Coordinates of all heavy atoms in Angstrom, one line a residue:
L292 N 81.6 -18.7 -33.6 CA 80.5 -17.9 -34.0 C 80.1 -16.9 -32.9 O 79.6 -15.8 -33.1 CB 79.2 -18.8 -34.2 CG 79.2 -19.6 -35.5 CD1 78.0 -20.6 -35.5 CD2 79.2 -18.7 -36.7
E343 N 79.5 -20.0 -43.7 CA 78.6 -20.1 -42.6 C 77.2 -20.6 -43.1 O 76.6 -21.5 -42.4 CB 78.5 -18.8 -41.8 CG 79.7 -18.5 -41.0 CD 79.6 -17.2 -40.1 OE1 78.4 -16.8 -39.9 OE2 80.6 -16.8 -39.7
I344 N 76.7 -20.0 -44.1 CA 75.3 -20.4 -44.6 C 75.4 -21.8 -45.1 O 74.4 -22.6 -44.9 CB 74.9 -19.4 -45.7 CG1 74.5 -18.1 -44.9 CG2 73.7 -19.9 -46.5 CD1 74.1 -17.0 -45.7
A347 N 75.1 -23.9 -42.0 CA 73.7 -23.9 -41.5 C 72.7 -24.8 -42.3 O 72.0 -25.7 -41.8 CB 73.1 -22.5 -41.4
F348 N 72.8 -24.6 -43.6 CA 71.8 -25.4 -44.5 C 72.2 -26.9 -44.4 O 71.3 -27.8 -44.4 CB 71.9 -24.9 -46.0 CG 71.3 -23.5 -46.2 CD1 70.8 -22.8 -45.1 CD2 71.3 -23.0 -47.5 CE1 70.3 -21.5 -45.4 CE2 70.8 -21.7 -47.7 CZ 70.3 -21.0 -46.6
L351 N 70.7 -28.5 -41.4 CA 69.3 -28.8 -41.5 C 69.0 -30.0 -42.4 O 68.2 -30.9 -42.1 CB 68.6 -27.6 -42.1 CG 68.6 -26.3 -41.3 CD1 67.8 -25.2 -42.0 CD2 68.0 -26.5 -39.9
L417 N 71.6 -27.5 -34.2 CA 70.6 -26.3 -34.4 C 71.0 -25.1 -33.6 O 70.6 -24.0 -34.1 CB 69.2 -26.8 -33.9 CG 68.5 -27.9 -34.8 CD1 67.1 -28.2 -34.2 CD2 68.4 -27.5 -36.2
S418 N 71.8 -25.2 -32.6 CA 72.4 -24.0 -31.9 C 73.3 -23.3 -32.9 O 73.2 -22.0 -33.0 CB 73.3 -24.5 -30.9 OG 72.7 -24.5 -29.7
I419 N 74.1 -24.1 -33.7 CA 74.9 -23.4 -34.7 C 74.1 -22.7 -35.8 O 74.4 -21.6 -36.2 CB 75.9 -24.5 -35.3 CG1 76.8 -25.0 -34.2 CG2 76.6 -24.0 -36.5 CD1 77.7 -26.2 -34.6
V420 N 73.0 -23.4 -36.2 CA 72.1 -22.8 -37.2 C 71.6 -21.5 -36.7 O 71.6 -20.5 -37.4 CB 71.0 -23.8 -37.6 CG1 70.0 -23.1 -38.5 CG2 71.5 -25.1 -38.2
R421 N 71.1 -21.5 -35.5 CA 70.5 -20.3 -34.9 C 71.4 -19.2 -34.9 O 71.2 -18.0 -35.3 CB 70.0 -20.6 -33.5 CG 69.3 -19.5 -32.9 CD 68.7 -19.8 -31.5 NE 68.7 -18.6 -30.7 CZ 69.6 -18.3 -29.8 NH1 70.6 -19.3 -29.5 NH2 69.5 -17.2 -29.1
H422 N 72.7 -19.4 -34.4 CA 73.7 -18.4 -34.4 C 74.1 -17.8 -35.8 O 74.2 -16.6 -35.9 CB 75.0 -19.0 -33.8 CG 75.0 -18.7 -32.3 ND1 74.5 -19.5 -31.4 CD2 75.5 -17.6 -31.6 CE1 74.7 -19.0 -30.2 NE2 75.2 -17.8 -30.3
I423 N 74.2 -18.8 -36.7 CA 74.5 -18.3 -38.1 C 73.5 -17.4 -38.6 O 73.7 -16.3 -39.2 CB 74.9 -19.5 -38.9 CG1 76.1 -20.2 -38.5 CG2 75.0 -19.1 -40.4 CD1 76.4 -21.5 -39.2
L424 N 72.2 -17.8 -38.4 CA 71.1 -17.0 -39.0 C 71.0 -15.6 -38.3 O 70.8 -14.7 -38.9 CB 69.7 -17.8 -38.8 CG 69.7 -19.0 -39.7 CD1 68.3 -19.7 -39.5 CD2 69.9 -18.7 -41.2
L425 N 71.3 -15.7 -37.0 CA 71.2 -14.4 -36.2 C 72.3 -13.5 -36.7 O 72.0 -12.3 -36.9 CB 71.6 -14.7 -34.7 CG 70.3 -14.9 -33.8 CD1 70.9 -15.2 -32.4 CD2 69.4 -13.7 -33.8
R426 N 73.4 -14.0 -37.0 CA 74.6 -13.2 -37.6 C 74.1 -12.6 -39.0 O 74.7 -11.6 -39.4 CB 75.8 -14.0 -37.7 CG 76.7 -14.1 -36.5 CD 77.6 -15.3 -36.5 NE 78.7 -15.2 -37.3 CZ 79.8 -14.6 -37.1 NH1 80.0 -14.1 -35.9 NH2 80.9 -14.5 -37.9
H427 N 73.3 -13.2 -39.7 CA 72.8 -12.8 -41.0 C 71.4 -12.1 -40.8 O 70.7 -12.0 -41.9 CB 72.8 -13.9 -41.9 CG 74.1 -14.4 -42.4 ND1 74.9 -15.3 -41.6 CD2 74.9 -14.2 -43.4 CE1 76.0 -15.5 -42.1 NE2 76.1 -14.8 -43.3
E428 N 71.0 -11.7 -39.7 CA 69.8 -11.0 -39.4 C 68.6 -11.8 -39.9 O 67.6 -11.4 -40.4 CB 69.7 -9.6 -40.1 CG 70.8 -8.7 -39.6 CD 70.7 -7.4 -40.3 OE1 69.7 -6.7 -40.2 OE2 71.7 -7.0 -40.9
G429 N 68.7 -13.2 -39.7 CA 67.7 -14.1 -40.0 C 67.2 -14.9 -38.8 O 67.7 -14.6 -37.7
H430 N 66.3 -15.8 -39.1 CA 65.8 -16.7 -37.9 C 65.4 -18.0 -38.4 O 65.1 -18.2 -39.6 CB 64.7 -15.9 -37.1 CG 63.5 -15.6 -37.9 ND1 62.5 -16.4 -38.0 CD2 63.3 -14.5 -38.6 CE1 61.5 -15.9 -38.8 NE2 62.0 -14.7 -39.2
L431 N 65.2 -18.9 -37.5 CA 64.8 -20.3 -37.8 C 63.4 -20.6 -37.4 O 63.0 -20.3 -36.3 CB 65.8 -21.3 -37.1 CG 65.5 -22.8 -37.3 CD1 65.9 -23.2 -38.7 CD2 66.3 -23.6 -36.3
D432 N 62.6 -21.0 -38.4 CA 61.2 -21.3 -38.1 C 61.1 -22.9 -38.2 O 61.6 -23.6 -39.0 CB 60.3 -20.8 -39.3 CG 60.1 -19.3 -39.1 OD1 60.3 -18.8 -38.1 OD2 59.9 -18.7 -40.2
S444 N 62.9 -24.0 -41.5 CA 63.1 -22.9 -42.5 C 64.1 -21.9 -42.0 O 63.9 -21.3 -40.9 CB 61.8 -22.3 -42.9 OG 60.9 -23.2 -43.3
A445 N 65.1 -21.6 -42.8 CA 66.0 -20.4 -42.5 C 65.4 -19.3 -43.2 O 65.4 -19.2 -44.5 CB 67.4 -20.8 -43.1
Q446 N 64.9 -18.3 -42.5 CA 64.2 -17.2 -43.0 C 65.2 -15.9 -43.0 O 65.6 -15.5 -41.9 CB 63.0 -16.8 -42.3 CG 62.2 -15.6 -42.7 CD 61.7 -15.7 -44.2 OE1 60.9 -16.6 -44.4 NE2 62.2 -14.9 -45.1
F447 N 65.5 -15.3 -44.0 CA 66.4 -14.1 -44.1 C 65.5 -12.8 -44.3 O 64.4 -12.9 -44.8 CB 67.4 -14.2 -45.2 CG 68.3 -15.4 -45.1 CD1 68.1 -16.6 -45.6 CD2 69.4 -15.3 -44.3 CE1 68.9 -17.7 -45.5 CE2 70.3 -16.3 -44.1 CZ 70.1 -17.6 -44.7

Side-chain angles (χ1 to χ4, degrees):
L292 285 172
E343 288 185 16
I344 287 181
F348 290 3
L351 296 181
L417 292 181
S418 263
I419 293 174
V420 174
R421 182 175 149 259
H422 264 90
I423 293 176
L424 295 181
L425 270 178
R426 277 159 72 87
H427 288 81
E428 296 178 60
H430 58 91
L431 181 67
D432 289 334
S444 306
Q446 176 68 60
F447 297 95

